[in-house]
Amino acid sequence: MLFTGFFIFPKSASTFAGEVDAFYFFMWALTLFFAIGIAATVIAFIIRYRRSDENPAGADIEGSLQLEIMWTAIPFAIAMGIFAWSASIFVNMQRPPDNAMEIFVVGKQWMWKIQHMEGRSEINQLHVPLGKPVKLTMTSEDVIHSFYVPAFRIKADVVPGRYNTTWFEATKTGTYHLFCTEYCGTNHSRMIGQVVVMEQAAYQDWLAEGNTNATGIGASLANLSPAARGEALFTEHGCKTCHFDGPGRVGPLLGGLPGSTVKLEGGDVVAADSRYLRESILNPRARVVEGYEPLMPTFAGRVSEEDVMSLVAYIKTLSPPPGAEAHTTTAP
Ligand code: CUA
């Protein structure tokens, strides 16, 4: 804890922390500078230009172009500087690096469910390795929650019906607070947890331990990775009936699809990211791939958010069929 006199600062433990704090202190110093400067000027002018017998009426002062340009240009430059600086931090926070490891987060009243790609799952705890970028793909089963780790200086809404992402890279081992910071009902204030930052080797050991206590998302599924679970769901729901590689196929091929772009009926082109895949499972008619009939039924209500995340993870593991240059977005 750093006590600044006005604010209590949480410890900082991510690559963002320094940037965010520097910006915050700059804003704080700027505000202080103008607040004191303006107040001091007001007081000085009250004393200097107070009404006196010798000078009963105020002088008639004409405008000053120089002054007007100055007090327009300087605040404009300051405001644009604030915009550029904060926007660069914001953009950086919105764009996980390509080598980031992905972890799924599902919020629900009133807990955080965490799923690691290797199979281990946990509740109200998030174990992460030190010095590795971690991308969180997050959604909610019910209402809006917000994922907040003060020590990492990250905060992102967790919204039902869509995927939000955030990322961080931890710079210090230790245990840090995790809060829900969007009022989400009776036990909102108890929707808290811990982020545990471990050395990379210790994290690997922790993953390898598996789900020792039979709680959490993976309880009934032991330590199946989301991709393995997704494969089972893919078979169970008969997805292969349409998405198989062969003659007579009626659905688009999925191998190589994630990360590519897709041409839609109507001519739009969209990125086939996790959000698009999720939408295509739950609301397949929203954005139909060019050349295909809107035949796919919706899976909304038949699969949980964790199922959808597992299916997306599985689709990401599929490789494009041999011979195909990329995935095929047009009908066979
Ligand atoms: Cu969840 Cu507040």
Side-chain angles (χ1 to χ4, degrees):
M1 291 270 182
L2 167 66
F3 187 65
T4 64
F6 289 94
F7 306 102
I8 294 173
F9 260 69
K11 10 182 191 189
S12 60
S14 82
T15 49
F16 292 139
E19 269 183 283
V20 173
D21 290 358
F23 179 71
Y24 185 82
F25 279 117
F26 168 76
M27 291 299 291
W28 189 69
L30 188 73
T31 310
L32 206 65
F33 173 78
F34 279 105
I36 292 173
I38 290 169
T41 309
V42 167
I43 292 166
F45 279 18
I46 287 171
I47 296 166
R48 184 161 173 197
Y49 299 111
R50 70 187 183 279
R51 189 174 172 185
S52 61
D53 288 338
E54 306 91 72
N55 189 13
D60 193 12
I61 299 169
E62 284 294 309
S64 159
L65 185 64
Q66 265 181 333
L67 260 181
E68 285 188 25
I69 289 173
M70 197 184 76
W71 75 45
T72 307
I74 293 176
F76 180 75
I78 293 173
M80 285 297 121
I82 292 169
F83 169 70
W85 189 1
S86 57
S88 88
I89 297 173
F90 180 79
V91 167
N92 184 16
M93 284 179 148
Q94 297 301 309
R95 302 191 148 197
D98 290 339
N99 64 341
M101 52 178 276
E102 190 176 22
I103 296 177
F104 287 149
V105 176
V106 176
K108 66 171 280 192
Q109 290 167 319
W110 288 275
M111 64 175 78
W112 294 108
K113 301 195 279 184
I114 312 282
Q115 177 68 58
H116 297 260
M117 290 303 153
E118 292 78 3
R120 193 151 187 193
S121 59
E122 46 187 339
I123 291 203
N124 293 340
Q125 288 233 335
L126 168 61
H127 286 74
V128 291
L130 179 72
K132 262 199 107 176
V134 175
K135 171 187 170 186
L136 302 176
T137 298
M138 309 188 291
T139 191
S140 166
E141 276 181 22
D142 36 47
V143 299
I144 301 176
H145 304 276
S146 188
F147 191 93
Y148 180 35
V149 184
F152 295 167
R153 309 292 190 265
I154 58 161
K155 185 195 273 189
D157 278 3
V158 177
V159 183
R162 62 171 293 175
Y163 284 165
N164 263 4
T165 57
T166 189
W167 76 278
F168 61 85
E169 184 178 326
T171 53
K172 272 180 218 158
T173 55
T175 302
Y176 305 100
H177 288 297
L178 159 64
F179 294 111
C180 176
T181 180
E182 181 77 51
Y183 180 69
C184 57
T186 313
N187 287 331
H188 157 70
S189 63
R190 293 166 70 183
M191 192 169 164
I192 52 178
Q194 290 179 324
V195 180
V196 182
V197 179
M198 311 170 92
E199 296 285 351
Q200 295 195 9
Y203 175 71
Q204 290 307 326
D205 291 346
W206 179 87
L207 279 179
E209 275 173 33
N211 293 325
T212 43
N213 51 345
T215 57
I217 305 171
S220 56
L221 298 138
N223 292 305
L224 276 188
S225 68
R229 229 190 124 204
E231 186 173 10
L233 289 162
F234 199 80
T235 306
E236 186 187 323
H237 290 290
C239 310
K240 277 179 185 155
T241 317
C242 301
H243 299 283
F244 64 95
D245 187 15
R249 173 168 55 85
V250 294
L253 276 180
L254 302 176
L257 180 64
S260 67
T261 52
V262 173
K263 198 159 183 221
L264 303 179
E265 281 295 335
D268 285 352
V269 174
V270 294
D273 53 10
S274 299
R275 278 178 200 171
Y276 175 73
L277 297 176
R278 179 186 179 282
E279 181 190 66
S280 296
I281 295 167
L282 298 177
N283 186 12
R285 287 171 197 198
R287 291 189 282 181
V288 177
V289 178
E290 185 178 56
Y292 288 93
E293 294 295 319
L295 295 171
M296 181 167 157
T298 172
F299 284 82
R302 294 173 60 191
V303 288
S304 67
E305 287 295 350
E306 281 132 16
D307 291 344
V308 177
M309 282 180 165
S310 300
L311 283 163
V312 169
Y314 169 63
I315 292 168
K316 284 183 182 172
T317 65
L318 296 173
S319 44
E325 275 159 36
H327 74 283
T328 315
T329 54
T330 47

